[in-house]
């Protein structure tokens, strides 16, 4: 202890001597005897602080066992929760889906997505906004009635023409409209309605006034608006098929 | 050529998006956020490139969304083209309060419903059953196998009404949350849940009994 005190005194004297050698002395003033007592002051304070620290109760934060081991699994589980919900929901409604793969079996032509190009200069007609028009029952029935009357006339006309020599018109009453209509293709119907019908492979023959005198009258009875709407629809669907 | 787009002028701390225009056709911009793509679309010098990027980003999702409804690839292709043409025309006026993805799905969905409606009208005129038309398209697939459950499932789905079919496809195949579906189909979540429930039940009955 005495040796340390001596060393400190020597160091202090050296520092003072060094300070005095400087051309410009430091402007700060150290209280007299400060360096003699500072080390002792510090040492005296240490035990007191130790006591103070031990007096403070630091709360202990516990981590559940294996928390960090399970963390990644738990996060992944949360991510998959939504998907699982969907599967659980379906399993509760219709368990048969558990036996079916979700794989879609439809094929896409090779390179389709790589080569897909959209012609943004395509005609305005195709691009224009298509509206979902709600169709009332009345309009549906009107259309069905129009279509049925036209088809009926066609079939009747065809029958009249093919049997005009027999003059047995009573048999026309027994025509099976449904089956006969099925034989008429959309194309033939459309051609007929466009007034440029040419007999095709179907059993239909060109109608003229002599064969069925009341045909014109019956067609005239159909409102122009309904006919033009029907023609417009068939033409649009035809054009779409052709890619126009 | 290097262009630097200042995307968020004065609103947020400005940051720059560097786009090598020559790289877009090769790499695409699928990595770009919708906001960035819309900004590129708004610039006349990059409009077409941004549009190409939008097509590349969404084409497969929209294709399958449509294909599951109309079955035929050719019809799907026609409709996909129409959808993107409408996107081209409407994108400038796109309201950014909805997601681009939601908006595109909505256009594609409307296109599907319009197409199916027209198909149905045509079938009515020819006294045919449109439902059978779609089933026949499935059966005409070169890989069709009547004994496979997956094909049976497709046939069963076609028996559903259009909107129920849409709901089922979005939930079952795309795992779409009801909340998002509600925005696309503009229907309440409760109604969608009920619709999905009925659809799944009907399909199960078809598969078990047919």
């Amino acid at each position: 202890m005495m040796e340390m005190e001596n060393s400190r005194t020597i160091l202090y004297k050296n520092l003072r001597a060094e300070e005095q050698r400087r051309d410009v002395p430091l402007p700060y003033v150290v209280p007299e005897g400060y360096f003699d007592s500072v080390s002792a002051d510090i040492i005296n304070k240490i035990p007191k602080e130790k006591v103070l620290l031990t007096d403070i109760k630091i709360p202990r934060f516990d981590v559940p066992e294996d928390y960090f081991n399970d963390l990644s699994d738990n996060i992944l589980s949360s991510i998959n929760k939504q998907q699982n919900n969907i599967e659980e929901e379906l399993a509760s409604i219709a368990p048969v889906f558990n036996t079916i793969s979700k794989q879609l079996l439809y094929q896409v032509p090779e390179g389709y997505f790589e080569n897909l190009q959209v012609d943004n200069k395509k005609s305005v007609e195709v691009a224009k906004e298509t509206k979902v028009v709600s169709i009332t029952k009345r309009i549906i029935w009107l259309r069905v009635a129009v279509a049925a009357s036209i088809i009926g006339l066609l079939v009747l006309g065809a029958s009249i023409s093919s049997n005009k020599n027999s003059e047995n018109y009573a048999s026309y009453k027994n025509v099976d409209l449904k089956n006969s209509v099925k034989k008429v293709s959309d194309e033939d119907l459309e051609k007929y309605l466009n007034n440029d019908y040419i007999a095709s492979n179907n059993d239909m023959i060109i109608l003229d006034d002599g064969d069925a005198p009341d045909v014109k009258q019956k067609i005239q009875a159909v409102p122009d608006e309904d006919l033009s709407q029907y023609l417009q629809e068939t033409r649009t669907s035809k054009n779409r098929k052709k890619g126009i | 050529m290097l262009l630097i787009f200042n995307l968020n002028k004065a609103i947020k701390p400005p940051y720059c998006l560097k786009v090598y225009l020559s790289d877009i056709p090769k790499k695409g911009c699928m990595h770009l956020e919708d906001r960035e793509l819309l900004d590129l679309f708004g610039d006349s010098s990059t409009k077409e490139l941004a549009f190409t990027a939008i097509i590349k980003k969404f084409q497969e999702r929209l294709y399958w969304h449509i294909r599951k409804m109309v079955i035929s690839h050719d019809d799907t292709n026609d409709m996909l083209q129409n959808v993107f043409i409408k996107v081209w025309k409407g994108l400038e006026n796109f309201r950014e309060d909805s997601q681009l993805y939601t908006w595109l799905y909505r256009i594609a969905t409307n296109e599907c419903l319009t197409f199916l409606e027209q198909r149905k009208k045509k079938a009515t005129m020819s006294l045919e059953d449109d439902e059978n038309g779609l089933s026949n398209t499935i059966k005409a697939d070169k890989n069709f196998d009547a004994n496979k459950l997956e094909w049976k499932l497709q046939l069963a789905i076609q028996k559903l009404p259009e909107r129920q079919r849409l709901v089922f496809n979005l939930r079952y195949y795309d795992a779409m949350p009801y909340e998002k579906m509600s925005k696309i189909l503009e229907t309440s979540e409760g109604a969608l849940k009920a619709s999905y429930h009925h659809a799944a039940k009907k399909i199960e009955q078809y598969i078990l009994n047919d």
Side-chain angles (χ1 to χ4, degrees):
Chain A
M1 194 69 178
M2 281 298 290
E3 279 180 10
M4 278 185 72
E5 204 60 41
N6 288 337
S7 302
R8 202 174 285 122
T9 310
I10 292 164
L11 178 62
Y12 175 68
K13 283 178 179 172
N14 287 342
L15 284 169
R16 290 287 297 167
E18 180 64 27
E19 193 182 353
Q20 283 167 1
R21 273 200 296 277
R22 288 185 185 170
D23 293 333
V24 182
L26 284 169
Y28 311 118
V29 178
V30 180
E32 199 173 348
Y34 172 77
F35 290 107
D36 297 332
S37 60
V38 68
S39 58
D41 288 346
I42 291 169
I43 288 165
N44 286 336
K45 281 180 182 174
I46 288 172
K48 285 177 188 170
E49 284 180 0
K50 263 187 181 175
V51 171
L52 284 173
L53 280 173
T54 52
D55 285 346
I56 299 169
K57 289 184 179 174
I58 302 169
R60 193 180 163 198
F61 298 105
D62 289 329
V63 178
E65 202 176 346
D66 290 332
Y67 171 77
F68 291 107
N69 290 338
D70 298 338
L71 184 61
S72 58
D73 288 344
N74 289 336
I75 292 170
L76 281 173
S77 157
S78 301
I79 292 168
N80 292 331
K81 197 177 171 188
Q82 189 188 349
Q83 179 63 32
N84 291 338
N85 282 347
I86 292 172
E87 282 164 14
E88 282 166 18
E89 176 192 35
L90 194 58
S92 67
I93 302 169
V96 75
F97 283 96
N98 289 333
T99 61
I100 306 172
S101 145
K102 279 193 180 178
Q103 186 198 356
L104 272 170
L105 304 169
Y106 305 125
Q107 303 286 315
V108 182
E110 204 173 341
Y112 172 73
F113 291 117
E114 289 76 10
N115 302 317
L116 179 67
Q117 287 188 333
V118 175
D119 180 7
N120 52 31
K121 293 167 188 69
K122 219 173 168 183
S123 73
V124 178
E125 191 186 344
V126 175
K128 76 180 178 186
E129 194 67 35
T130 47
K131 290 178 183 172
V132 183
V133 181
S134 70
I135 307 164
T136 63
K137 283 182 182 174
R138 193 182 64 80
I139 295 173
I140 291 173
W141 277 108
L142 193 61
R143 287 181 184 173
V144 170
V146 170
S149 61
I150 291 169
I151 290 162
L153 289 171
L154 291 174
V155 173
L156 190 65
S159 303
I160 289 167
S161 300
S162 60
N163 296 303
K164 62 181 174 182
N165 293 331
S166 69
E167 295 184 1
N168 183 13
Y169 290 97
S171 63
Y172 303 145
K173 291 177 183 173
N174 301 322
V175 171
D176 184 350
L177 272 181
K178 198 173 180 183
N179 283 332
S180 302
V181 165
K182 278 185 180 171
K183 291 177 189 169
V184 182
S185 70
D186 287 355
E187 201 176 341
D188 288 336
L189 268 177
E190 196 177 329
K191 278 179 184 171
Y192 173 75
L193 290 166
N194 284 327
N195 295 321
D196 60 353
Y197 177 76
I198 298 168
S200 69
N201 294 333
N202 288 302
D203 294 327
M204 291 182 67
I205 295 172
I206 302 170
L207 296 171
D208 59 42
D209 289 350
D211 290 328
D214 61 339
V215 167
K216 265 194 168 177
Q217 284 176 344
K218 289 191 176 177
I219 289 180
Q220 276 167 0
V222 177
D224 289 350
E225 194 185 344
D226 294 329
L227 270 178
S228 73
Q229 190 171 6
Y230 174 74
L231 290 170
Q232 187 62 39
E233 280 167 9
T234 49
R235 197 172 294 126
T236 308
S237 61
K238 184 87 177 169
N239 289 346
R240 176 178 289 204
K241 263 189 177 176
K242 288 175 183 170
I244 299 170
Chain B
M1 181 183 176
L2 171 65
L3 289 184
I4 300 175
F5 299 98
N6 189 345
L7 296 176
N8 288 331
K9 296 166 196 166
I11 300 169
K12 292 176 187 173
Y15 72 97
C16 292
L17 169 70
K18 296 178 182 179
V19 180
Y20 287 91
L21 286 184
S22 56
D23 283 353
I24 292 177
K26 281 182 270 173
K27 297 178 184 172
C29 311
M30 286 172 71
H31 60 286
L32 293 181
E33 293 295 323
D34 292 351
R35 174 67 261 163
E36 295 164 338
L37 287 171
L38 289 171
D39 280 322
L40 289 171
F41 186 83
D43 186 319
S44 59
S45 66
T46 51
K47 187 170 183 171
E48 293 210 3
L49 288 167
F51 187 62
T52 304
I54 289 169
I55 293 174
K56 294 283 173 204
K57 186 171 181 178
F58 294 103
Q59 61 182 10
E60 289 201 39
R61 274 183 282 178
L62 292 179
Y63 174 90
W64 286 111
H65 177 57
I66 299 168
R67 180 83 189 262
K68 278 178 275 180
M69 289 300 291
V70 303
I71 312 300
S72 146
H73 166 76
D74 290 339
D75 287 338
T76 306
N77 181 44
D78 285 350
M79 290 169 64
L80 191 64
Q81 298 271 340
N82 284 346
V83 167
F84 279 118
I85 287 168
K86 285 179 181 174
V87 171
W88 170 268
K89 288 174 177 291
L91 201 54
E92 279 175 355
N93 302 321
F94 170 63
R95 288 182 305 154
E96 289 163 34
D97 51 357
S98 69
Q99 281 188 330
L100 182 57
Y101 164 82
T102 308
W103 185 64
L104 294 174
Y105 255 75
R106 199 181 295 161
I107 294 175
T109 299
N110 285 339
E111 198 71 16
C112 282
L113 292 174
T114 306
F115 174 82
L116 292 170
E117 187 65 41
Q118 285 177 350
R119 227 185 116 108
K120 215 190 267 180
K121 277 186 214 166
K122 204 179 167 191
T124 309
M125 296 303 245
S126 58
L127 303 181
E128 283 172 4
D129 188 353
D130 186 45
E131 192 184 274
N132 284 340
L134 287 174
S135 297
N136 290 340
T137 311
I138 293 174
K139 287 174 185 167
D141 193 294
K142 62 179 180 182
N143 298 314
F144 179 75
D145 179 352
N147 296 320
K148 261 195 163 182
L149 274 175
E150 286 72 24
W151 282 113
K152 262 191 160 185
L153 172 62
Q154 292 311 313
L155 290 174
I157 292 171
Q158 301 320 313
K159 301 277 178 198
L160 300 172
E162 285 90 4
R163 288 189 78 84
Q164 219 171 61
R165 206 185 318 160
L166 273 168
V167 173
F168 182 81
N169 285 338
L170 289 172
R171 185 75 177 160
Y172 182 70
Y173 286 109
D174 301 348
M176 187 178 281
Y178 287 116
E179 186 196 355
K180 193 176 260 184
M181 213 190 292
S182 164
K183 286 176 186 158
I184 292 170
L185 300 179
E186 292 170 317
T187 310
S188 72
E189 288 185 36
L192 291 171
K193 281 179 192 171
S195 188
Y196 181 64
H197 185 278
H198 290 308
K201 273 285 177 206
K202 281 187 203 170
I203 291 170
E204 185 181 48
Q205 287 303 310
Y206 177 89
I207 290 172
L208 294 175
N209 299 331
D210 209 56

